[in-house]
Amino acid sequence: MSNLLKLEIVTPEAMTYSDEVEMVTLPGVEGEMGIFPMHVPLMTQIVAGEVVVRKDGREHSFAVGDGFAEISSERVAILTDMAVDEDNIDETRAEEARRQAEVRLKEEHLSDEELATVNAAMAHSVALLKVKRRHSR
Amino acid sequence: MPSTRDIRRRIKSVKNTAQITKAMQMVASSKMRRAQAEALAGRPYATLMNAVLAEVSAGAAEFSHPLMEKREIRKRALILVTTDKGLCGALNSNLLREAGRFDQETTVFITAGRKGSQFVARTRRSMAAEFTYKDSPEFAEARAISKFAQELFLKGEVDHVDVLFTNFINTLSQKSEVRTLLPLGELSALNPDLTSEGHSDLQAGGKEFLFEPNAATVLGNLLPHYLNYQMFQFLHEAKASEQSARMVAMKNATDNAKQIIKDLTLEYNKLRQANITKELLEITTAQMAMG
């Protein structure tokens, strides 16, 4: 068996990442988990956060939104509503989005739909900022 | 026999029409490019999601969920995805002809797009809800529609939900199609056309999956999300079809107008020459009579 994982990160807009990697770290609902090749088949939900990919001994991060991950022995498929490469994160815009979401959350008359959208925007921007700040340091 | 002035007036009016249809063609073609790109960009996600669901369902055979429950069909709902505006060829009439085949007594309609609502009101069918979607459909819009349908289904008000929309094949061809949204039934049988070739051998393996935190929670979240996403993709396909159909219709209209202008110009020139000849004849006859 190969000692590589086929990783696919897909959002509704595009296929963000598709490559053979050595290891991935996912933000699972019950905490972070590191996935190596030959993992047992696993289906899990992920929360907004950071996906770390190790390829050729180097680590690379993605900020992701809520979604699902399907893990099998040689493949990891991540379905999420947002995925941004750490190099493409615009810190000022993420900060701005977070502030806007905060303002919207204070409004009282939000419908369920709006609340879900705002919460998602909030989680997205927080994830973006977290990934950006951790790496710029 | 129309006078030269009448013909000139007609040429002018046809020219104006041609200008308008040409402008609409341009607008539709730029919107079309965007809508097509969006519809195509969503396909990998849809493919992967189908593959994931198929694999998971193979590995969690005994799992069942209220959304998968098959019941005897007494009432059904049809989500009718049409356009807001006309001037897009036979697109809407094809859709509405399909919609007309559903039994009036047992079907409630959920419409997205104004043409569909008008149809339902005109033919006095029962309407459950009316939704709108923009030129570039948003996930929230799709979520609203699919959530509404899921609630109807879960409350037992309907036993079957279909979606009627226009599937985008390419710029020149769009096909109105009916797809079943609910019940999910056999997960592995979902839209075989969207499940790509590469995954078929994986499905055959039938691996046993672990779930974290547990199967009920994960699938309980995944299934509604899957339906929302499915609806989102349907809206995208419908939009891409609409813009393509409109562009083609407007291109035909412009071409026809140009042909009419050509014919009218020919007729105009003939008439003009005939008039000149007639006048010349009159002058010469008059001269001869004088002489």
Side-chain angles (χ1 to χ4, degrees):
Chain A
M1 285 299 278
S2 78
N3 52 356
L4 288 177
L5 275 169
K6 170 100 178 118
L7 173 68
E8 285 176 327
I9 304 179
V10 189
T11 64
E13 286 84 34
M15 170 90 82
T16 312
Y17 189 86
S18 174
D19 206 352
E20 304 271 321
V21 300
E22 287 152 20
M23 180 200 164
V24 271
T25 312
L26 305 171
V29 271
E30 297 190 334
E32 290 222 327
M33 48 182 164
I35 311 291
F36 282 102
M38 300 303 293
H39 197 283
V40 255
L42 176 73
M43 178 75 208
T44 186
Q45 263 182 283
I46 59 168
V47 294
E50 182 179 16
V51 168
V52 185
V53 175
R54 198 162 78 201
K55 182 181 163 63
D56 305 330
R58 279 191 306 180
E59 292 198 341
H60 199 81
S61 299
F62 292 87
V64 295
D66 286 343
F68 301 92
E70 187 223 15
I71 295 145
S72 61
S73 59
E74 70 281 347
R75 197 167 78 98
V76 174
I78 301 177
L79 292 163
T80 171
D81 49 4
M82 177 194 77
V84 186
D85 193 308
E86 61 170 311
D87 301 333
N88 299 336
I89 298 174
D90 183 339
E91 193 173 352
T92 42
R93 261 178 58 191
E95 184 67 47
E96 178 60 32
R98 192 177 64 93
R99 217 172 306 123
Q100 267 182 14
E102 265 172 9
V103 173
R104 292 270 286 159
L105 276 181
K106 289 202 186 91
E107 291 173 22
E108 281 175 8
H109 45 81
L110 282 176
S111 69
D112 287 355
E113 281 301 311
E114 286 171 328
L115 194 65
T117 317
V118 175
N119 275 335
M122 185 77 175
H124 285 177
S125 49
V126 169
L128 286 171
L129 289 172
K130 191 181 125 199
V131 173
K132 185 73 186 174
R133 298 218 167 119
R134 206 170 73 86
H135 288 276
S136 50
R137 224 166 266 154
Chain B
M1 195 73 183
S3 73
T4 49
R5 198 190 295 151
D6 287 341
I7 294 182
R8 243 192 347 245
R9 201 178 293 142
R10 276 192 64 195
I11 292 180
K12 214 171 154 194
S13 98
V14 174
K15 254 186 195 156
N16 283 337
T17 313
Q19 253 169 14
I20 293 168
T21 55
K22 179 88 186 167
M24 287 177 77
Q25 181 197 331
M26 296 300 199
V27 172
S29 82
S30 84
K31 280 187 182 167
M32 175 190 83
R33 231 165 289 138
R34 210 170 124 214
Q36 281 185 4
E38 275 174 2
L40 294 179
R43 281 186 183 172
Y45 190 87
T47 311
L48 191 58
M49 190 161 225
N50 274 312
V52 165
L53 263 183
E55 278 178 54
V56 166
S57 63
E62 71 279 16
F63 179 79
S64 79
H65 188 275
L67 288 172
M68 294 159 71
E69 186 191 348
K70 265 192 189 137
R71 297 189 291 242
E72 190 197 335
I73 301 171
R74 286 190 305 272
K75 270 266 185 193
R76 49 169 73 223
L78 180 69
I79 303 178
L80 181 58
V81 185
T82 55
T83 66
D84 278 341
K85 296 178 198 130
L87 294 177
C88 46
L91 193 113
N92 282 320
S93 39
N94 284 343
L95 279 172
L96 297 181
R97 195 173 49 235
E98 286 284 329
R101 290 208 191 117
F102 281 79
D103 187 4
Q104 215 159 352
E105 303 299 315
T106 58
T107 312
V108 290
F109 285 78
I110 301 167
T111 61
R114 211 173 300 139
K115 289 279 165 188
S117 331
Q118 283 164 1
F119 164 80
V120 173
R122 196 171 60 232
T123 56
R124 299 179 190 283
R125 282 158 209 268
S126 58
M127 169 127 72
E130 194 179 338
F131 291 94
T132 54
Y133 62 109
K134 296 199 206 79
D135 265 353
S136 151
E138 279 166 18
F139 194 69
E141 291 161 339
R143 191 170 48 202
I145 300 173
S146 124
K147 220 177 188 175
F148 182 81
Q150 284 170 41
E151 273 166 18
L152 276 186
F153 182 80
L154 291 177
K155 273 190 267 168
E157 284 175 27
V158 296
D159 306 303
H160 194 86
V161 181
D162 283 317
V163 184
L164 174 57
F165 72 110
T166 319
N167 200 10
F168 175 77
I169 298 165
N170 58 43
T171 310
L172 291 173
S173 90
Q174 300 88 32
K175 200 162 160 270
S176 46
E177 275 179 26
V178 180
R179 295 269 180 87
T180 304
L181 194 69
L182 287 167
L184 282 167
E186 283 296 304
L187 284 175
S188 42
L190 292 167
N191 300 336
D193 55 333
L194 282 175
T195 325
S196 74
E197 298 281 308
H199 295 300
S200 54
D201 48 333
L202 279 172
Q203 282 162 31
K207 286 165 290 189
E208 195 65 33
F209 269 85
L210 290 177
F211 289 90
E212 189 187 291
N214 56 55
T217 321
V218 175
L219 281 179
N221 283 312
L222 183 60
L223 295 181
H225 180 74
Y226 169 78
L227 292 171
N228 295 346
Y229 187 74
Q230 201 75 42
M231 197 61 230
F232 181 58
Q233 189 63 20
F234 288 154
L235 290 186
H236 269 309
E237 298 277 346
K239 211 59 195 179
S241 306
E242 177 193 341
Q243 299 299 359
S244 313
R246 176 162 302 133
M247 195 204 75
V248 172
M250 286 302 114
K251 186 168 164 27
N252 287 339
T254 315
D255 291 349
N256 286 344
K258 280 192 181 139
Q259 187 60 46
I260 291 178
I261 291 174
K262 221 171 143 192
D263 292 349
L264 282 176
T265 316
L266 186 66
E267 201 183 322
Y268 171 75
N269 285 336
K270 271 186 189 160
L271 197 62
R272 194 172 53 90
Q273 277 173 346
N275 279 345
I276 293 168
T277 320
K278 211 168 78 194
E279 268 174 42
L280 275 175
L281 268 175
E282 274 165 13
I283 293 167
T284 36
T285 11
Q287 250 179 357
M288 276 159 81
M290 300 274 281

